[in-house]
């Protein structure tokens, strides 16, 4: 793995091993200390204290041969070191990131500590969404809305949680459930995007009865509905032009693999 450090230096992997370490959160294997550092740095909100378990430490020690990092992590675990200390220790000792980038990470860690539990969970779910782990993202989003609302957070925050939950269901082709979440989102965030998503899901699920109810409830005109229909038709044609059966099989395989990982974890 090559990368630029502040547009000046170029660092290479010091050791790329044959045996991988599997990170289920993003469904990827890593093969070097640099890849481990990259994951920690770029997926900070996915990192939990249990990530630095004995299996990872043994991998760093026995496979990657980074004895100093492994020993330091063991000491931090023994001394009940904080999650931030473990993260910072790996980043600083891997040699993959510059001092400036390490400082930037420490600022992120400080910001992480200042956020509420709900904000941290949403950030984690957002990352899972971006990496295509929709089922896991749904679990985290639901864990936020199933708890009592935090009065320190604006109602818009919860509206955005519902909106993203709707997006996750829509990407799993569960359009009717997605529409339920988008309605909740619009009630809390009053965002035009959430409202349009309601009608997109009604149309995609061919739910004419629900479409009529929503039109009357939200006072949406036929002009708007026809525009959304045209947008969906345009998107359908674009997908039809580029979608191939091998891509469809690959998508189904990935979704199935994610589900297996979740149930076995």
């Amino acid at each position: 793995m090559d990368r630029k450090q502040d547009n000046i230096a170029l660092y290479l992997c010091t050791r790329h091993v044959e045996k991988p370490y599997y990170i289920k959160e993003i469904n990827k294997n890593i093969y070097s200390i640099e890849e481990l550092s990259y994951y920690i740095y770029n997926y900070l909100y996915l990192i939990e204290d249990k990530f630095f378990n004995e299996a990872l430490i043994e991998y760093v020690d026995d496979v990657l041969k980074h004895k100093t990092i492994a020993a330091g992590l063991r000491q931090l675990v023994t001394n009940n070191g904080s999650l931030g200390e473990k993260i910072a220790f790996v980043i600083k000792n891997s040699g993959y990131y510059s001092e400036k980038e390490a400082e930037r990470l420490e600022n992120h860690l400080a910001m992480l500590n200042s956020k509420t539990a709900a904000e941290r969970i949403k950030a984690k779910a957002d990352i899972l969404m971006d990496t295509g782990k929709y089922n896991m993202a749904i679990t985290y989003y639901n864990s936020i809305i199933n708890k009592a609302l935090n009065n320190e957070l604006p109602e818009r925050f919860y509206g955005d949680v519902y909106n993203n939950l709707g997006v996750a269901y829509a990407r799993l082709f569960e359009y009717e459930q997605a529409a339920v979440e988008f309605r909740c989102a619009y009630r809390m965030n009053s965002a035009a995007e959430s409202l349009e998503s309601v009608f997109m899901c009604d149309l995609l699920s061919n739910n004419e009865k629900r479409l009529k109810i929503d039109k009357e409830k939200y006072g949406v005109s036929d002009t708007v509905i026809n525009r959304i229909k045209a947008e969906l038709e345009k998107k359908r044609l674009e997908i039809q032009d580029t979608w191939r059966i091998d891509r469809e099989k690959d998508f189904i395989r990935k979704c199935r693999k994610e589900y297996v990982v979740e149930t076995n974890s």
Side-chain angles (χ1 to χ4, degrees), residues 34 47 66 102 122 137-138 143 185 218 226 250 254:
E34 289 84 1
I47 307 297
H66 282 274
K122 180 181 179 295
I138 287 169
S143 73
Y218 298 110
N226 289 333
D250 185 57
K254 286 180 179 178

Coordinates of all heavy atoms in Angstrom, one line a residue, residues 34 47 66 102 122 137-138 143 185 218 226 250 254:
E34 N 0.4 -1.3 8.3 CA 0.0 -0.1 7.6 C -1.5 -0.2 7.3 O -2.2 0.8 7.4 CB 0.8 0.1 6.3 CG 2.2 0.6 6.5 CD 3.1 -0.6 6.7 OE1 2.7 -1.8 6.7 OE2 4.3 -0.4 6.9
I47 N -14.4 1.7 15.6 CA -13.5 1.1 16.6 C -14.1 1.1 18.0 O -14.5 2.1 18.5 CB -12.1 1.8 16.6 CG1 -11.5 1.9 15.2 CG2 -11.2 1.0 17.5 CD1 -11.3 0.6 14.5
H66 N 5.4 -7.2 14.7 CA 5.6 -5.9 15.3 C 5.5 -6.1 16.8 O 4.5 -5.9 17.5 CB 4.6 -4.9 14.8 CG 4.9 -4.4 13.5 ND1 5.7 -3.3 13.3 CD2 4.5 -4.8 12.2 CE1 5.8 -3.0 12.0 NE2 5.1 -3.9 11.3
A102 N -1.1 12.4 13.0 CA -1.3 11.8 14.3 C -2.0 12.8 15.2 O -2.9 12.5 16.0 CB 0.0 11.3 14.9
K122 N -24.7 6.9 15.6 CA -25.1 7.3 14.3 C -23.9 7.4 13.4 O -23.9 6.9 12.2 CB -25.8 8.6 14.3 CG -26.3 9.1 12.9 CD -26.9 10.5 13.0 CE -27.3 10.9 11.6 NZ -26.2 11.1 10.7
A137 N -26.0 -1.5 9.7 CA -26.4 -0.1 9.9 C -27.8 0.0 10.5 O -28.0 0.8 11.4 CB -26.3 0.6 8.6
I138 N -28.7 -0.8 10.0 CA -30.1 -0.7 10.5 C -30.2 -1.1 11.9 O -30.9 -0.4 12.7 CB -31.0 -1.7 9.7 CG1 -31.2 -1.2 8.3 CG2 -32.3 -2.0 10.4 CD1 -31.9 -2.2 7.3
S143 N -31.1 1.0 17.3 CA -30.7 1.1 18.7 C -30.8 2.6 19.2 O -30.9 2.8 20.5 CB -29.2 0.6 18.9 OG -28.3 1.5 18.4
A185 N -39.1 10.4 9.4 CA -38.0 11.4 9.2 C -38.6 12.8 8.9 O -38.2 13.8 9.5 CB -37.1 10.9 8.1
Y218 N -49.9 14.9 2.7 CA -48.9 15.9 2.6 C -49.2 17.0 1.6 O -48.4 18.0 1.4 CB -47.5 15.3 2.2 CG -47.1 14.3 3.3 CD1 -47.1 12.9 3.0 CD2 -46.6 14.7 4.5 CE1 -46.7 12.0 3.9 CE2 -46.2 13.7 5.5 CZ -46.2 12.4 5.2 OH -45.8 11.5 6.1
N226 N -45.5 13.3 -10.9 CA -45.1 13.0 -12.2 C -43.6 13.2 -12.4 O -42.9 12.5 -13.1 CB -45.9 13.8 -13.2 CG -47.3 13.3 -13.3 OD1 -47.6 12.1 -13.0 ND2 -48.3 14.2 -13.7
D250 N -23.4 -11.0 -7.8 CA -22.3 -10.5 -6.9 C -23.0 -9.7 -5.7 O -22.6 -9.8 -4.6 CB -21.3 -9.6 -7.6 CG -20.2 -9.2 -6.7 OD1 -19.5 -10.1 -6.1 OD2 -19.9 -8.0 -6.6
K254 N -22.9 -10.7 -1.7 CA -22.4 -9.8 -0.7 C -23.4 -9.6 0.4 O -23.1 -9.6 1.6 CB -22.0 -8.5 -1.3 CG -20.7 -8.6 -2.1 CD -20.4 -7.2 -2.7 CE -19.1 -7.3 -3.5 NZ -18.8 -6.0 -4.1

